[in-house]
Amino acid sequence: MTDDSRDTRAEMVPEASAPAFAGFANQFLLAMPEQVGGSLAGSVIYVCEHSERGALGLVINRPTDLTLGALLERIDMALEIHVPQQDAPVFFGGPVQTDRGFVLHMPTGDFSSSLHLGELMLTTSRDILQATASGLGPERMLVTLGYAGWGAGQLETEMAQNAWLNVQADIRIIFDVPPEDRYEAALALLGIDPGALTGAAGHA
């Protein structure tokens, strides 16, 4: 697991001759008890990118005390109107670049730095926060500070060591389930009872 300030996001354009890479993008990773510790213990991570060069994901079940409205004020973006998103918590997205914002949201808008993730988009440019402050941002969004990053082969090694359970992501868990219930909700996708985790395999 990468835990410093370096940006380990993978370049997602493979060489033309390279075989298709079967990674864990658009999946949830669930930290296994006694296998994943520190700031990622008990976490559910949505994997945004994964290639031979590494992976990037966002923790979706670790809200902070900071609200989006307070974050906007902190970066000098005055709210022009009351918007529902302003009361939403900003999440701890992971231990890498914790001073940088990441917005996971439903596809909408035309922002300067966005990555399409199938059903979702990941935007890192300031313009999405400006749109939110003016009432034109995405209705369904999750804002994090920081991300979880892996270098080349690191996530594959951790999966082989049963550090994580993985399952296809369900966006309803990201946006509709309370943060404190997201770990158990993701486990339910696998049909696993939380009490039966010890010694469980790492692959869905």
Side-chain angles (χ1 to χ4, degrees), residues 94-127:
V96 186
Q97 293 192 349
T98 55
D99 59 344
R100 183 178 178 186
F102 297 80
V103 183
L104 190 63
H105 59 98
M106 298 298 292
T108 185
D110 183 18
F111 306 109
S112 60
S113 181
S114 293
L115 179 69
H116 287 267
L117 309 173
E119 292 183 282
L120 298 172
M121 291 178 68
L122 175 67
T123 298
T124 58
S125 50
R126 185 181 175 93
D127 51 0

Side-chain angles (χ1 to χ4, degrees), residues 22-194:
F24 297 101
N26 300 311
Q27 296 190 27
F28 288 145
L29 300 181
L30 289 80
M32 287 288 287
E34 301 179 2
Q35 296 294 323
V36 179
S39 62
L40 294 179
S43 64
V44 180
I45 295 175
Y46 174 79
V47 182
C48 302
E49 297 179 307
H50 187 202
S51 79
E52 295 94 335
R53 298 187 182 184
L56 177 150
L58 301 177
V59 177
I60 65 165
N61 66 328
R62 196 69 56 76
T64 69
D65 294 332
L66 182 68
T67 65
L68 180 55
L71 174 63
L72 292 174
E73 290 181 4
R74 181 178 294 181
I75 58 177
D76 298 323
M77 288 189 185
L79 287 163
E80 298 177 14
I81 59 173
H82 183 280
V83 294
Q85 300 96 320
Q86 74 184 62
D87 299 320
V90 174
F91 284 71
F92 166 77
V96 186
Q97 293 192 349
T98 55
D99 59 344
R100 183 178 178 186
F102 297 80
V103 183
L104 190 63
H105 59 98
M106 298 298 292
T108 185
D110 183 18
F111 306 109
S112 60
S113 181
S114 293
L115 179 69
H116 287 267
L117 309 173
E119 292 183 282
L120 298 172
M121 291 178 68
L122 175 67
T123 298
T124 58
S125 50
R126 185 181 175 93
D127 51 0
I128 191 171
L129 296 180
Q130 293 172 328
T132 299
S134 61
L136 300 175
E139 292 184 7
R140 293 161 72 81
M141 60 192 294
L142 183 145
V143 180
T144 78
L145 291 176
Y147 69 90
W150 293 261
Q154 287 184 323
L155 180 54
E156 293 90 326
T157 298
E158 292 181 14
M159 294 299 295
Q161 295 171 343
N162 293 335
W164 305 92
L165 289 167
N166 66 293
V167 65
Q168 186 66 35
D170 184 336
I171 62 174
R172 293 172 297 181
I173 292 177
I174 298 173
F175 297 120
D176 299 331
V177 174
E180 65 272 17
D181 297 328
R182 290 175 187 171
Y183 191 94
E184 290 190 7
L187 278 180
L189 297 176
L190 292 167
I192 296 177
D193 184 284

